[in-house]
Amino acid sequence: MASNKYFYQVLGVQSNANQDEIKQAFHKLAHKYHPDTSTEPNAEQKFQDINEAYTALRNKKPVNKKRSKLPIIAAAIVGITSLVAIISFFYQNSFNTQEIQTGILNHNSEAIHSLENANINFAKKVISGTGVKVALIDFYLKNPPLWKKLDSYHNSIRTNILKDDQVYRRLRDHYYHQIDNEIKEDKFKKAMPLLGEIKKAYPKKSELFHKYQQIQEKKQQRLAAMTQKYMDCLYKTWVPLLERTHCMVDARDTIKTVGIEHDLPIDANLPAMYAKEVRLALKDQNYDHADDILLDWEKLLPANSGQRDVLKDLLYLRRERENIVVDLSGNDKMQVAKRLHQLSADPVLQQQILEIAKVKNNILKYQFNDLLTIIASNYGEMSPNNESKLREILEIPEEVEDEDKTIVANTPIAIPIPIQTTATEEVKTNNKTDTLLTECQQLYNKNYLTRGKNTALSCYRKVLKIEPNNNQALDGLNNIENKYYVWADSNLRKNKFGRVKFYIQALQKFNSNSSRLTGLKEKLNAAQRQTVAEANQATKVKEAAKLARLKVSKEKAVKEREARLKADKERAAKRRSARYKVAKAKVAKERAAKRKTANAKAAKERAAKRKVARAKAAQERAAKRKLARAKAANERRAAKRKAARAKAAQERAAKRKLARAKAANERRAAKRKAARAKAAQERAAKRKLARAKAANERRAAKRKAARAKAAQERAAKRKLARAKAANERRAAKRKAARAKAAQERAAKRKVARAKAANERRAAKRKAARAKAAQERRAKRKADRRAKAAKASAARRKAARAKAIKERAAARRKAKRKRKAAKKKAAKRKNAKRKRGASCSRLVRQMSTGIKPLTSKQRAYFRRRCR
């Protein structure tokens, strides 16, 4: 038993406290930790400890104090007061429970707040009311967050609420409605977390798992449909470019909304096609259309593109044409140098602007070497080709070195008069080039690329001989090469290796050292090796199946031989029995013939007497027998036809059964073969996607670095034009940016390598698991086949025994029928012979005319003798 010191600590009083202090402390703590009203943790245990301490100390004598002399009446009063307080508490508690339940049913926020702050027992009483749990859940669904508020309850209360079937159905319907709405909008990424919330609360509900599978199936179906739409848009090369790309962008946005685990393919010709469209728009001076194409290009292919940046600069220059003319006609030497540097990027615009007399004369006022010096100091050295072209347009002669290797400078520049014949020759050359380019484009559209006499390749090369730096001809060659790459990839996917080799030979005419060509050759070799391996595997499977069939056929032939031997023995025994019966019948016949011979004489005499009397009756009986025979013959023929139909039906059923079994075996074999081929294709596709993704990331990183460097150089050139004093600060910033970019690239490469390594390891593990599962399935299939073969052999054996019995019965029946048929034929022959004799007699009687025919004889003659 615990010491008194511990009891004083429980009640929170001194060890020398009197009975009044102990009682006051007890009442205070009892009210605080009473299980029905307290919200403190472990209130029930504390209340028991307080009662035990008060029971132990209320009659104890305090230390250093006299024994308390509390009257008995006061103790009784206190007890009665406590009892009244407890009764009033329970009454008030009951009243509050009904009031809070009504408030929750009416979605009263104060009642729900009271429930959240109530103790466990009181909360259990409240939620035990009819419809209270569902009303509480409805309130929380309208005033989220639901799960956070449910988590604020004690675990027992939360469990009690969630295990109610009506609550589960309400939550399920609410979440299913939200999930269906998200799926209608293709927001599968939002639908899955919603389902995860309710699955977390009900992890053992099978219908939630089925719902998860349904969402995954819908997601895959939607992805497949949108991917197919994207691929359809991608390969609609006959559709206008903007319509085609808008279709691709819409499909790709939908796919991103649904969620996809790999990059979508892009037509390799799209950048070239965009560039061609932009150049045509610039040529037609349709700058708004060119701007739309560039925006669409950036939207479809967001990766940085140097070609697109160059075209943007060209569009900017074309739109700034008037300002450039004004600057080149002005007196600001720095501005003139800047504009000349900008025009070097667009030879066509440069030719057009510098041929303006006002601009040309203004530039010739300045020393050309001074302008070159300004350009070199602010924007970098001008390339020799651009410098020579600029001199040619401005008609400035090249500088000549004297004997002392000193450059003659600052010489007065004479403006020569243009010669008409030179301009005429240039116009003729341009007209010829345009004609050739039109012809080349027509050949390209007809797919007359490299094979034959008149091809797009030879046409573009003619243009390049006339004008070596013609952009349209260079783009045409790139388009031919890209088209061959697209065709080669398409035929490689279809396993048309002959066509792929032809395209590789055609591509070698362009650039035999191309990395893309090497990759295409590697893909071709890999696909050929895979095809050979699959063919070898199929050959092995066929040989194994052939050996199995041979084995089965041998076993079947042995069994059939044994059955035939057995049947031959049975037939021989039957023939011996038949011979014995024939011999016995012959002896009986001879005896009958002797008796017949003995009785013949008497019979003839009796027959002669009865013949006349029986003639009339014989005719009647003959007629009756004829009807009976006809009826019996019809019945026999009907029975024979019925038996023949039954036999034919059995044979047809047996043939159908064999055909179905054979077709089922073929379908199963084809299905297994298709499944293996599909699995192999999927593995190859995954490996190919992984390699392509890693290569794309590396190339993207390289392109990003190159673009960042080019952007920095352009920024540096623009900033040098404004102020020379700010060069050092900008250089420092560029240096820091380069360092940061290098760090980011290194980090990206590291992450990409780690990701690729993880994917390879996951692929290996997945392949090992798939191989083990395939081996287990193959073993189970082999067991099932063996069992089915045994059962099939037993059924065939029983069927053959039954067929043998049926054939024996059929032979016996056929023999009886032949015997009966012979008897009938003999009877018919005798009747015919008799009829012939009668007819001959009547004919002789009619021919002699001695005795006329009676009416009966005439009727008989008409009926029988014609």
Side-chain angles (χ1 to χ4, degrees):
M1 188 175 178
S3 64
N4 291 336
K5 186 176 181 181
Y6 169 77
F7 293 142
Y8 286 116
Q9 290 176 357
V10 170
L11 293 175
V13 296
Q14 298 294 331
S15 59
N16 57 358
N18 57 25
Q19 290 295 322
D20 293 336
E21 292 173 349
I22 291 171
K23 187 172 287 187
Q24 288 177 3
F26 165 71
H27 286 297
K28 183 178 179 182
L29 293 174
H31 183 72
K32 181 179 180 181
Y33 294 106
H34 196 281
D36 295 332
T37 59
S38 176
T39 59
E40 295 290 332
N42 301 326
E44 189 173 356
Q45 183 64 36
K46 289 183 179 180
F47 186 78
Q48 291 177 0
D49 293 340
I50 292 165
N51 278 329
E52 185 181 354
Y54 178 69
T55 304
L57 294 178
R58 66 181 175 180
N59 293 323
K60 290 285 183 181
K61 191 175 182 179
V63 180
N64 298 327
K65 290 271 185 177
K66 292 184 179 180
R67 187 182 181 90
S68 177
K69 298 180 180 180
L70 184 65
I72 298 172
I73 297 171
I77 292 170
V78 170
I80 293 168
T81 305
S82 300
L83 182 62
V84 170
I86 291 169
I87 292 170
S88 63
F89 168 76
F90 279 111
Y91 176 76
Q92 186 179 3
N93 197 2
S94 175
F95 178 74
N96 289 339
T97 300
Q98 295 177 359
E99 192 177 60
I100 290 173
Q101 286 176 348
T102 305
I104 292 172
L105 292 173
N106 294 327
H107 291 177
N108 189 337
S109 58
E110 292 181 359
I112 292 171
H113 183 69
S114 301
L115 176 64
E116 291 172 352
N117 296 325
N119 58 59
I120 298 172
N121 295 327
F122 183 71
K124 285 182 179 178
K125 291 179 182 179
V126 172
I127 64 174
S128 63
T130 305
V132 174
K133 297 175 185 176
V134 177
L136 184 65
I137 292 297
D138 286 338
F139 178 81
Y140 285 152
L141 288 174
K142 292 177 182 177
N143 302 281
L146 165 68
W147 302 106
K148 187 175 180 181
K149 292 181 178 179
L150 285 177
D151 289 339
S152 64
Y153 288 99
H154 191 269
N155 286 336
S156 61
I157 302 297
R158 184 178 182 275
T159 305
N160 195 358
I161 293 171
L162 293 177
K163 74 179 181 180
D164 188 86
D165 290 339
Q166 293 182 353
V167 171
Y168 168 69
R169 286 194 293 272
R170 181 69 183 90
L171 288 172
R172 181 197 62 192
D173 295 342
H174 173 77
Y175 276 97
Y176 277 14
H177 179 70
Q178 286 188 335
I179 289 167
D180 292 339
N181 289 337
E182 297 294 345
I183 289 174
K184 286 179 183 177
E185 298 175 2
D186 292 330
K187 295 179 180 178
F188 287 87
K189 292 181 180 178
K190 292 184 179 180
M192 297 306 292
L194 289 172
L195 185 62
E197 290 180 3
I198 189 170
K199 276 184 71 178
K200 187 177 179 182
Y202 299 97
K204 296 182 180 180
K205 290 289 184 181
S206 60
E207 65 175 316
L208 298 179
F209 177 72
H210 295 320
K211 184 69 174 178
Y212 175 81
Q213 290 181 330
Q214 289 175 4
I215 294 172
Q216 289 291 347
E217 289 175 1
K218 288 182 181 179
K219 180 180 177 182
Q220 296 302 324
Q221 292 171 1
R222 186 62 174 156
L223 280 176
M226 296 312 299
T227 305
Q228 184 62 41
K229 180 182 176 183
Y230 179 85
M231 298 305 293
D232 293 342
C233 298
L234 178 63
Y235 291 114
K236 283 182 181 178
T237 53
W238 61 88
V239 177
L241 181 63
L242 287 179
E243 181 181 344
R244 177 186 174 196
T245 53
H246 288 165
C247 176
M248 291 168 64
V249 169
D250 293 340
R252 189 182 64 181
D253 293 342
T254 306
I255 290 170
K256 286 183 178 179
T257 305
V258 175
I260 192 168
E261 290 77 20
H262 57 82
D263 295 331
L264 293 168
I266 295 293
D267 189 354
N269 289 331
L270 278 178
M273 294 168 69
Y274 273 122
K276 182 180 177 182
E277 289 287 332
V278 173
R279 287 196 178 95
L280 289 174
L282 292 176
K283 185 177 179 181
D284 298 338
Q285 296 184 1
N286 191 353
Y287 301 138
D288 292 336
H289 183 58
D291 197 9
D292 293 338
I293 295 171
L294 287 170
L295 289 174
D296 192 70
W297 185 357
E298 189 170 3
K299 189 175 181 182
L300 181 61
L301 305 173
N304 292 332
S305 171
Q307 188 178 18
R308 186 171 63 222
D309 295 339
V310 170
L311 291 172
K312 283 183 178 179
D313 294 339
L314 292 180
L315 178 61
Y316 169 75
L317 289 175
R318 295 296 176 94
R319 284 180 164 169
E320 288 284 311
R321 177 190 171 98
E322 294 180 0
N323 294 332
I324 291 172
V325 171
V326 171
D327 290 340
L328 290 175
S329 303
N331 297 321
D332 191 347
K333 196 172 184 180
M334 296 292 292
Q335 200 68 18
V336 172
K338 176 184 175 182
R339 292 302 189 183
L340 285 175
H341 171 68
Q342 290 178 345
L343 287 175
S344 63
D346 190 353
V348 177
L349 186 64
Q350 184 185 52
Q351 181 82 24
Q352 293 174 357
I353 292 177
L354 294 182
E355 285 180 351
I356 299 173
K358 182 174 68 171
V359 173
K360 190 172 184 179
N361 294 332
N362 188 61
I363 293 172
L364 292 175
K365 289 193 307 183
Y366 303 104
Q367 290 295 331
F368 188 67
N369 288 336
D370 293 345
L371 294 175
L372 292 178
T373 304
I374 293 170
I375 292 171
S377 61
N378 291 328
Y379 310 108
E381 289 286 343
M382 183 179 286
S383 66
N385 290 334
N386 290 336
E387 184 179 347
S388 61
K389 191 163 183 72
L390 192 59
R391 285 179 182 277
E392 183 182 349
I393 295 170
L394 295 174
E395 300 177 356
I396 299 173
E398 296 285 341
E399 293 180 347
V400 184
E401 295 183 358
D402 60 7
E403 293 178 357
D404 297 331
K405 307 292 182 182
T406 58
I407 299 175
V408 179
N410 299 325
T411 57
I413 301 171
I415 304 174
I417 299 170
I419 300 171
Q420 186 67 28
T421 56
T422 306
T424 306
E425 291 176 359
E426 288 180 359
V427 170
K428 289 180 179 179
T429 304
N430 291 333
N431 292 335
K432 185 178 180 181
T433 304
D434 293 338
T435 305
L436 281 173
L437 286 172
T438 305
E439 183 181 352
C440 296
Q441 186 62 35
Q442 292 175 355
L443 292 170
Y444 175 80
N445 293 334
K446 294 178 181 178
N447 289 332
Y448 298 160
L449 302 181
T450 59
R451 195 173 182 181
K453 294 182 179 179
N454 193 11
T455 62
L457 176 63
S458 60
C459 182
Y460 281 128
R461 284 179 175 172
K462 287 179 185 177
V463 174
L464 291 175
K465 284 182 182 178
I466 298 169
E467 189 177 345
N469 294 323
N470 190 285
N471 291 327
Q472 293 185 19
L474 294 173
D475 291 341
L477 292 176
N478 290 332
N479 289 337
I480 294 171
E481 187 176 2
N482 289 332
K483 183 173 280 192
Y484 271 126
Y485 277 116
V486 172
W487 286 350
D489 286 336
S490 176
N491 284 281
L492 190 61
R493 287 193 293 270
K494 298 175 183 177
N495 290 334
K496 296 181 180 179
F497 301 130
R499 299 298 300 169
V500 177
K501 289 179 181 177
F502 170 74
Y503 295 141
I504 289 174
Q505 291 175 0
L507 286 168
Q508 286 176 345
K509 295 180 182 179
F510 293 93
N511 186 4
S512 60
N513 298 323
S514 173
S515 60
R516 292 176 67 188
L517 182 60
T518 306
L520 187 60
K521 289 179 179 179
E522 290 176 356
K523 289 180 183 177
L524 175 61
N525 294 332
Q528 286 178 337
R529 285 195 298 272
Q530 185 179 358
T531 305
V532 170
E534 289 176 354
N536 293 335
Q537 184 67 22
T539 305
K540 290 179 182 179
V541 171
K542 287 180 181 178
E543 289 176 355
K546 188 176 180 181
L547 290 173
R549 286 195 297 273
L550 286 172
K551 187 177 179 181
V552 171
S553 62
K554 286 180 181 179
E555 293 176 354
K556 187 177 179 180
V558 170
K559 291 178 180 178
E560 288 178 353
R561 196 181 302 113
E562 291 175 354
R564 282 198 297 273
L565 290 172
K566 188 176 180 181
D568 291 339
K569 289 179 181 179
E570 291 176 354
R571 283 195 295 273
K574 288 178 181 178
R575 281 197 296 272
R576 286 194 297 271
S577 177
R579 287 195 203 100
Y580 172 74
K581 289 179 181 178
V582 168
K584 190 176 180 181
K586 189 176 181 181
V587 171
K589 191 175 182 181
E590 290 175 354
R591 289 174 185 167
K594 288 179 182 179
R595 285 194 298 271
K596 190 175 181 181
T597 303
N599 297 327
K601 193 174 182 180
K604 282 180 180 180
E605 292 174 358
R606 287 191 299 270
K609 292 178 182 180
R610 289 193 297 269
K611 188 174 181 181
V612 177
R614 292 176 183 167
K616 190 175 181 179
Q619 289 179 357
E620 294 176 357
R621 285 196 301 275
K624 289 180 181 179
R625 281 197 300 272
K626 186 177 180 182
L627 289 172
R629 287 192 202 100
K631 187 176 180 181
N634 289 333
E635 290 176 353
R636 285 193 296 273
R637 283 196 293 272
K640 190 175 181 181
R641 285 196 297 273
K642 187 175 180 181
R645 282 197 294 271
K647 186 177 179 181
Q650 288 178 356
E651 290 176 354
R652 287 196 298 274
K655 288 181 181 178
R656 284 198 298 272
K657 190 174 181 181
L658 287 172
R660 286 194 205 99
K662 187 176 179 181
N665 290 330
E666 291 176 352
R667 285 196 298 274
R668 286 195 291 271
K671 192 179 287 184
R672 288 195 295 272
K673 186 176 179 181
R676 292 193 201 100
K678 186 177 180 182
Q681 288 177 359
E682 289 176 351
R683 290 194 297 273
K686 286 181 181 177
R687 288 195 296 271
K688 186 176 177 182
L689 284 172
R691 288 196 293 271
K693 188 174 181 181
N696 288 334
E697 289 175 352
R698 289 195 294 273
R699 285 197 293 272
K702 289 181 182 178
R703 287 197 298 270
K704 188 175 181 180
R707 287 194 293 272
K709 188 175 180 180
Q712 289 172 0
E713 290 174 356
R714 288 196 300 273
K717 289 178 182 178
R718 286 195 296 270
K719 288 177 183 177
L720 281 171
R722 295 179 190 136
K724 190 175 181 180
N727 285 339
E728 295 177 356
R729 292 193 298 273
R730 292 192 184 89
K733 288 181 180 179
R734 286 196 299 274
K735 189 174 180 180
R738 290 192 197 99
K740 186 176 180 181
Q743 291 176 357
E744 290 176 353
R745 288 195 299 274
K748 287 181 179 178
R749 284 195 296 272
K750 188 175 180 181
V751 170
R753 290 192 202 100
K755 187 176 180 182
N758 289 333
E759 289 176 352
R760 286 195 295 273
R761 286 194 293 272
K764 286 180 181 179
R765 288 195 296 271
K766 189 173 181 181
R769 287 195 293 271
K771 186 177 179 182
Q774 189 175 4
E775 290 175 354
R776 289 194 297 272
R777 286 195 296 272
K779 188 176 179 182
R780 287 195 295 271
K781 285 180 181 178
D783 294 339
R784 286 197 295 271
R785 286 198 202 97
K787 191 174 179 180
K790 288 181 181 178
S792 178
R795 287 195 296 272
R796 286 197 297 273
K797 188 174 180 181
R800 282 196 293 273
K802 186 177 179 181
I804 289 167
K805 290 181 181 179
E806 289 175 351
R807 286 198 295 273
R811 282 196 294 273
R812 288 194 297 271
K813 190 174 180 181
K815 190 173 181 181
R816 286 195 298 271
K817 286 182 179 179
R818 286 196 298 273
K819 197 171 181 180
K822 284 181 181 178
K823 288 182 180 179
K824 289 177 185 177
K827 287 181 180 179
R828 283 197 296 272
K829 191 174 181 181
N830 291 332
K832 188 175 181 182
R833 183 174 51 78
K834 290 179 182 179
R835 190 168 58 249
S838 299
C839 290
S840 298
R841 189 174 62 252
L842 292 174
V843 168
R844 284 194 302 272
Q845 187 177 347
M846 284 190 296
S847 61
T848 55
I850 298 171
K851 184 180 179 180
L853 297 177
T854 63
S855 61
K856 288 185 179 180
Q857 287 176 341
R858 284 196 296 274
Y860 179 82
F861 183 78
R862 283 196 299 272
R863 189 171 65 252
R864 297 283 183 166
C865 299
R866 288 187 179 183

